[in-house]
Amino acid sequence: YTPNLIARTLVNKTKVKIALISPEYTTDEYWQQSKAGVEDARKNWESFGVELHALHFSLSSIRSFETATRKALSIKPNAVI
């Protein structure tokens, strides 16, 4: 027996928070495409109780990455990508 995690989430009405930290999408075509994929995923999974929080940082700034990381952790996510 393998439990259906989506069904369990719907029945329990629990929210799963996922924080996604990625480079700013304005600087690179690759990340622009990734942003589109993230937005599609957000739309597809929100009805299953998944909250996707996308945070971005500048590739040229360590401080920017640290700030995005702190923000990601402040939402108390179940997972960080």
Side-chain angles (χ1 to χ4, degrees):
Y1 168 76
T2 303
N4 184 325
L5 297 178
I6 293 174
R8 182 183 294 174
T9 300
L10 289 172
V11 169
N12 295 332
K13 296 182 182 176
T14 56
K15 295 282 184 185
V16 175
K17 291 183 188 178
I18 299 173
L20 171 71
I21 304 170
S22 66
E24 292 173 340
Y25 61 90
T26 57
T27 58
D28 187 306
E29 185 177 325
Y30 173 82
W31 292 110
Q32 289 174 353
Q33 292 175 7
S34 296
K35 181 184 183 294
V38 167
E39 290 304 318
D40 286 344
R42 181 191 323 256
K43 290 175 190 171
N44 292 335
W45 287 94
E46 68 186 352
S47 62
F48 296 109
V50 176
E51 294 178 7
L52 181 58
H53 300 267
L55 300 129
H56 306 286
F57 65 94
S58 170
L59 285 171
S60 61
S61 171
I62 292 172
R63 181 160 294 199
S64 174
F65 177 76
E66 291 170 342
T67 300
T69 302
R70 277 193 294 279
K71 286 180 183 178
L73 297 176
S74 74
I75 65 168
K76 302 192 184 315
N78 299 94
V80 178
I81 300 171

